[in-house]
Amino acid sequence: MTIAGSDLYYDPYDFDIDSDPYPLWRRLREECPLYYNERYDFFALSRFDEVERGLVDWRTYSSAKGSVLELIKSGMEIPPGSIIFEDPPGHDLHRGLLSRVFTPKKMAAIEPKVREFCARTLDPLIGAGGFDFIHDLGAQMPMRTIGMLLGIPEQDQEALRDRIDEGLRLEDGTMPDMSARYGNVEDQAGGFGEYIEWRSTHPSDDLMTELLQAEYEDVDGVRKHLTQEELLNFVNLLAAAGNETTTRLIGWTGKVLADHPDQRRDLVEHRDLVPNAIEEVLRFEAPSPVQARYITADVEHHGQTVPAGSAMLLLNGSGNRDDRKFPDGDRFDIHRKIDHHLAFGYGLHFCLGAALARLEGRVALDEVLQRFPEWEVDWDNAVQARTSTVRGWDRMPVLTS
């Protein structure tokens, strides 16, 4: 676990660590691959192979008590319909309702609308001398896209996005109070109640209507519709996930390609490299770099026993930089061959919206390069976001030529 006399200290809530966790994560991988934090009583794994095995082994590394540390530690009961906080069989039943919607084929079909949303925000900024990858693009296009899929009127989308953002924000560098945070989540979910109620009598061609009409067979073989509580949690989860992680991906794309202008110019000349560039951004700066699990049975790592009932952090953002998997893992390279990374998780909890996030990331980058082939970060006005679930930027302003 920790090394006697070592200065190693990892804390997922510490703002200074969060600003650049990679040097510390490298030390964890090399010096302390099974880490224990006494303050918050959790273990952490940081190497690619062990993180991947933990993500796959849902029986031992359970999501049923939550996938964020503060939720596991709170002991709160998880509401139904939160598929990222479920294990089989409930997880499989609920995920099956959504998986038929988020297929690569169906996501590809909405590409023209995603490009339209990008153009709407970017075109007025041509000649302005700069723009913000978050405020002008990352906080706009993903919100419009998931709002379109859910059937939420455009005039209400920004307010709902802002409520979700506020519910995730850390006020200081300590573990948040889950009772207060859960109250915020309930408020957010309640904000969707009127849409669900209205859509129940006004069906349309959107995801909310599909969920309202969907039937599934529960573990007892009974045909059911989703309850109102399940619907609220489904919709809230989709709205949050559809906004947050893609927004962070777009922000990192702007930042990382500003740091590597030669590779950005390569993309301008060879647009076919854009999809692989997005995969490399995801590997290099995972928008959701830490996954928490509840240990259901004693498990051994590096000669130490992690007892049942423990909380375990699977540092997928660290695993993505592991030289054992990706040679020279701290080097960004849009030409890197990637068989798979862990930015979207792995196993049965692999991100349901991965195809949508990849589409949005690819289209956003392509549309930016088309209008702004050169940019540099305006560091005087850049602001990093502080949450315990995603990592990225609140503001990523750039100057364009």
Side-chain angles (χ1 to χ4, degrees):
M1 294 188 290
T2 51
I3 301 171
S6 172
D7 61 347
L8 276 176
Y9 177 74
Y10 172 62
D11 177 342
Y13 307 107
D14 186 291
F15 290 174
D16 289 335
I17 294 173
D18 184 60
S19 293
D20 181 12
Y22 295 107
L24 175 55
W25 284 348
R26 172 173 283 277
R27 289 192 63 194
L28 290 182
R29 292 195 300 271
E30 301 309 319
E31 301 174 30
C32 193
L34 175 66
Y35 173 78
Y36 177 70
N37 178 294
E38 293 184 2
R39 179 181 182 183
Y40 293 120
D41 184 28
F42 69 82
F43 293 85
L45 294 172
S46 50
R47 293 180 178 175
F48 184 96
D49 287 347
E50 289 183 296
V51 172
E52 183 181 61
R53 285 197 296 269
L55 292 170
V56 170
D57 182 7
W58 60 266
R59 291 179 176 84
T60 307
Y61 304 83
S62 172
S63 299
K65 293 184 180 293
S67 62
V68 292
L69 180 61
E70 59 266 29
L71 186 53
I72 292 174
K73 286 298 181 181
S74 74
M76 294 176 64
E77 184 176 345
I78 306 296
S82 301
I83 60 172
I84 60 174
F85 302 152
E86 290 182 320
D87 289 332
H91 167 272
D92 295 348
L93 293 173
H94 288 141
R95 185 180 176 104
L97 293 174
L98 295 174
S99 61
R100 61 191 184 211
V101 177
F102 287 93
T103 64
K105 182 178 180 180
K106 287 190 176 182
M107 293 302 97
I110 68 170
E111 179 170 334
K113 289 297 296 183
V114 175
R115 289 194 180 275
E116 179 186 317
F117 293 144
C118 288
R120 186 194 302 185
T121 62
L122 293 175
D123 282 349
L125 300 168
I126 295 173
F131 69 98
D132 192 319
F133 268 88
I134 299 298
H135 182 262
D136 295 317
L137 182 58
Q140 299 296 322
M141 179 267 284
M143 171 193 66
R144 300 296 182 207
T145 302
I146 198 67
M148 173 188 70
L149 291 172
L150 288 171
I152 297 169
E154 281 206 8
Q155 65 268 21
D156 297 330
Q157 290 171 3
E158 289 196 28
L160 289 170
R161 181 204 63 207
D162 291 345
R163 290 167 70 180
I164 291 168
D165 287 348
E166 189 59 33
L168 296 173
R169 197 177 308 277
L170 287 176
E171 297 301 323
D172 55 43
T174 61
M175 181 185 287
D177 178 359
M178 278 309 295
S179 61
R181 174 158 293 190
Y182 186 62
N184 288 337
V185 172
E186 285 186 320
D187 289 343
Q188 292 157 15
F192 294 109
E194 61 186 271
Y195 301 118
I196 292 175
E197 184 175 346
W198 188 84
R199 190 58 80 199
S200 66
T201 56
H202 299 80
S204 183
D205 182 22
D206 57 37
L207 180 53
M208 197 176 293
T209 300
E210 285 203 40
L211 291 175
L212 279 162
Q213 296 176 346
E215 285 190 9
Y216 70 98
E217 190 173 295
D218 71 9
V219 292
D220 299 319
V222 178
R223 299 291 296 177
K224 289 183 175 180
H225 290 279
L226 292 170
T227 66
Q228 180 78 357
E229 184 181 15
E230 287 173 326
L231 276 167
L232 283 171
N233 281 298
F234 262 51
V235 172
N236 188 54
L237 173 67
L238 291 169
N243 274 295
E244 279 299 315
T245 52
T246 309
T247 298
R248 305 309 168 200
L249 168 60
I250 291 170
W252 282 121
T253 300
K255 190 268 184 188
V256 172
L257 289 176
D259 291 343
H260 300 84
D262 290 347
Q263 296 191 55
R264 183 185 64 220
R265 291 175 192 127
D266 201 3
L267 288 169
V268 172
E269 296 298 321
H270 305 281
R271 211 62 68 81
D272 58 310
L273 294 173
V274 164
N276 200 68
I278 291 299
E279 293 305 308
E280 178 67 346
V281 173
L282 286 163
R283 181 200 70 83
F284 193 73
E285 291 287 7
S288 179
V290 179
Q291 314 304 316
R293 296 292 188 266
Y294 178 82
I295 302 300
T296 61
D298 289 0
V299 63
E300 186 172 304
H301 289 280
H302 303 281
Q304 299 285 340
T305 298
V306 178
S310 299
M312 176 70 81
L313 295 188
L314 302 174
L315 306 181
N316 56 306
S318 170
N320 277 349
R321 297 279 192 106
D322 190 347
D323 296 335
R324 298 165 185 81
K325 174 66 176 179
F326 300 105
D328 198 6
D330 285 326
R331 178 176 58 86
F332 179 77
D333 180 7
I334 62 170
H335 299 280
R336 185 186 297 273
K337 290 180 170 57
I338 304 173
D339 59 355
H340 73 280
H341 52 67
L342 303 177
F344 292 120
Y346 206 63
L348 64 85
H349 281 291
F350 182 80
C351 177
L352 191 65
L356 177 58
R358 283 177 163 129
L359 167 70
E360 291 177 313
R362 173 176 60 79
V363 169
L365 176 54
D366 193 48
E367 293 292 320
V368 167
L369 292 172
Q370 181 177 320
R371 295 164 176 82
F372 310 103
E374 296 281 336
W375 68 82
E376 60 183 45
V377 175
D378 175 10
W379 285 113
D380 289 340
N381 294 297
V383 179
Q384 195 162 357
R386 302 300 183 190
T387 85
S388 65
T389 55
V390 292
R391 181 172 174 271
W393 299 88
D394 270 341
R395 298 284 181 182
M396 179 43 58
V398 297
L399 305 174
T400 58
S401 55

